[in-house]
Amino acid sequence: MTARFLRAMALITVVLLVATACRTEVKTSVGVEGKTIKLGEITPLTGPVAVIGKPLTRGHEVYFQYVNEVLGGVGQKLPKEERFKVELITLDSQYRPDIQVQQYNALKDKVLMIAQSLGTAHTNAILAQINEDKILTAAATLASDWPRQKYVVATGAPYPAQFINAAQYLKDKGVTPKAGIIYQDDDYGADGVKGLEFAAKQFGFQIVARASYKVTDTSYAAPVTAMKTGGADHVFLASTPSATGTIIGTAATLGYTAQFIGLSPAWIGALVGTTEKPSPILPYLQRYMWVVTDAQCAWGETKAGCEGMKELIDNHAKFGKDQPPDYYFIFGYTQARVVHQILEKAVEMGDLTRAGVVKAFESLKTVNMGGLLNPISYGPECKDKIPATGSTIWKIDPSQPIALASVATIDSPAVKQFPFCQ
């Protein structure tokens, strides 16, 4: 055996040892099989809120297809062959809390985390189990309670912030509203009420009328009449799209011309109809309806500060042509982006277990959303986990891709005073 051969063998051994030393060891457990991360999705794919659940879920699918096929998987600091691909397991909740529980039980032993749990009452229905199982869950709901929950990931400004910011806008315009509120009779609606009550105290206006409705209701004459009889000139809606459309249609029929202001789940672009067949309530919507969402860039807006929107539009064209432009697609894509960054942090920390994902979430101080939302922040304490507080107010404009045109973006100092952590 020659000296040259021995030196060559020694060099190969050193190279192999260095390569082995450089290989990142990532701890894994339930929900990770080989190089595949399994994420759960519980969302309404049928029933009255499928108009939200379907495009929102499509946003998740398109984003993670981008992660898998363009980025090569989760673990951007790893060699490509060591990265993790994402598989989504999606189950239909029918927008029923009892079905939400059933579907959670069907998923919990198969997935690393829940990437989407849609609905406030529905996520609350599984909250005790989430805490017991210590499974990180991204809520597709902006409930004000989520910052207090260790295992719930909030995305965007909570519902009360949306109404507070809308009230700030009115104050800035010199308007003192006689406010009314129509709200869904559940946890989501109650959050809207809390936000409006807080805004009324902060800005010195009265709530002159209140009315609730049940998810199963199909007629809204009573709540709309209550607003009109009570003298409300600004009606705040904590509703979902099917209810919103009927509420607005009823108001138009009654000749009731208040300004309606909806929380983000109140809207869907389909309410305006199509160019060929516009909705009969379109003129009323254009004149009397605003929608409040997280502070964000408009669909297709690619100016400086909206780099994330360009990425979304490119990936929508590449992977999601079947999905028309939609606000909930944006939300789903945005939420998936947050989940991805949590997973990236967990891989960087070398711990892709459930406990590791929770630690990654709590250590993720800032998430750059590229204008899809304001920068989001997280941390271990409630005060660290209020993700954002700004809102954009939109008017109805069917010439725009999602039928919304920006009126103003507001981040009221009053939102900072809301007791999210009490």
Side-chain angles (χ1 to χ4, degrees):
M1 193 175 290
T2 66
R4 178 180 292 178
F5 178 79
L6 290 172
R7 284 196 298 271
M9 290 300 295
L11 181 59
I12 291 170
T13 301
V14 169
V15 169
L16 290 172
L17 288 172
V18 170
T20 301
C22 290
R23 184 179 294 274
T24 303
E25 293 297 330
V26 180
K27 184 180 177 183
T28 63
S29 63
V30 60
V32 182
E33 296 181 4
K35 291 296 179 181
T36 300
I37 300 170
K38 296 188 176 184
L39 303 178
E41 309 253 319
I42 312 174
T43 195
L45 300 176
T46 58
V49 187
V51 291
I52 294 177
K54 286 181 176 180
L56 197 153
T57 301
R58 202 70 190 94
H60 278 237
E61 292 169 349
V62 166
Y63 183 82
F64 282 115
Q65 192 169 356
Y66 160 69
V67 169
N68 288 341
E69 297 185 19
V70 177
L71 300 183
V74 176
Q76 291 301 291
K77 295 182 180 179
L78 299 177
K80 269 199 170 183
E81 67 275 8
E82 292 185 36
R83 295 176 192 172
F84 295 83
K85 298 298 176 70
V86 174
E87 177 186 334
L88 301 178
I89 303 175
T90 305
L91 298 181
D92 182 10
S93 72
Q94 303 174 38
Y95 202 61
R96 287 175 48 186
D98 59 328
I99 301 295
Q100 191 92 1
V101 173
Q102 291 177 26
Q103 302 295 43
Y104 173 84
N105 286 327
L107 277 177
K108 68 175 185 175
D109 295 327
K110 300 176 182 177
V111 299
L112 175 62
M113 66 174 285
I114 305 294
Q116 179 200 164
S117 174
L118 193 147
T120 302
H122 312 74
T123 304
N124 274 326
I126 61 175
L127 187 58
Q129 291 172 276
I130 288 170
N131 290 333
E132 182 179 345
D133 296 330
K134 300 179 181 179
I135 181 168
L136 197 67
T137 298
T141 145
L142 302 176
S144 61
D145 184 52
W146 301 148
R148 295 197 293 272
Q149 303 301 327
K150 180 177 179 66
Y151 300 105
V152 178
V153 181
T155 304
Y159 296 130
Q162 294 183 2
F163 275 170
I164 295 165
N165 283 323
Q168 178 74 63
Y169 176 73
L170 293 175
K171 181 177 175 62
D172 292 346
K173 292 295 182 182
V175 176
T176 302
K178 294 178 181 176
I181 182 167
I182 299 175
Y183 59 98
Q184 192 163 284
D185 185 17
D186 63 7
D187 298 337
Y188 160 55
D191 229 14
V193 172
K194 285 193 289 187
L196 187 61
E197 288 177 342
F198 183 86
K201 290 179 181 178
Q202 289 287 311
F203 301 119
F205 62 85
Q206 288 187 313
I207 302 174
V208 298
R210 303 169 187 244
S212 65
Y213 70 89
K214 297 187 181 301
V215 174
T216 53
D217 286 352
T218 55
S219 173
Y220 299 88
V224 174
T225 300
M227 299 299 107
K228 186 176 183 180
T229 302
D233 55 21
H234 288 74
V235 177
F236 293 76
L237 296 178
S239 56
T240 56
S242 57
T244 300
T246 309
I247 288 168
I248 297 299
T250 302
T253 300
L254 295 176
Y256 178 37
T257 56
Q259 178 68 55
F260 286 82
I261 304 171
L263 292 176
S264 51
W267 179 251
I268 194 165
L271 289 175
V272 306
T274 64
T275 302
E276 297 75 22
K277 190 176 181 181
S279 167
I281 63 171
L282 177 56
Y284 194 97
L285 286 168
Q286 290 180 276
R287 187 170 181 182
Y288 298 114
M289 181 79 185
W290 292 339
V291 181
V292 190
T293 71
D294 294 299
Q296 63 190 79
C297 301
W299 182 283
E301 188 175 6
T302 55
K303 65 183 182 182
C306 294
E307 293 80 9
M309 181 56 71
K310 182 181 185 309
E311 176 196 286
L312 180 149
I313 294 299
D314 290 347
N315 287 324
H316 177 260
K318 189 178 295 183
F319 303 121
K321 286 183 179 179
D322 59 308
Q323 171 62 55
D326 190 284
Y327 165 73
Y328 300 104
F329 177 89
I330 297 175
F331 184 95
Y333 189 96
T334 301
Q335 185 177 52
R337 184 170 174 155
V338 172
V339 171
H340 175 214
Q341 293 192 47
I342 293 170
L343 295 174
E344 285 286 346
K345 188 69 173 178
V347 171
E348 182 184 319
M349 295 168 66
D351 191 352
L352 206 51
T353 65
R354 285 184 178 173
V357 168
V358 172
K359 288 178 183 176
F361 165 54
E362 293 180 341
S363 65
L364 196 63
K365 300 299 183 183
T366 304
V367 183
N368 182 354
M369 300 309 297
L372 289 171
L373 292 178
N374 283 345
I376 290 174
S377 62
Y378 296 115
E381 305 295 331
C382 176
K383 62 182 176 60
D384 305 318
K385 294 199 294 181
I386 302 164
T389 55
S391 300
T392 298
I393 299 169
W394 308 83
K395 63 182 178 180
I396 312 309
D397 181 352
S399 71
Q400 300 301 308
I402 58 173
L404 297 176
S406 176
V407 173
T409 295
I410 307 288
D411 195 352
S412 172
V415 177
K416 312 299 189 292
Q417 306 303 315
F418 188 86
F420 291 111
C421 296
Q422 296 178 14

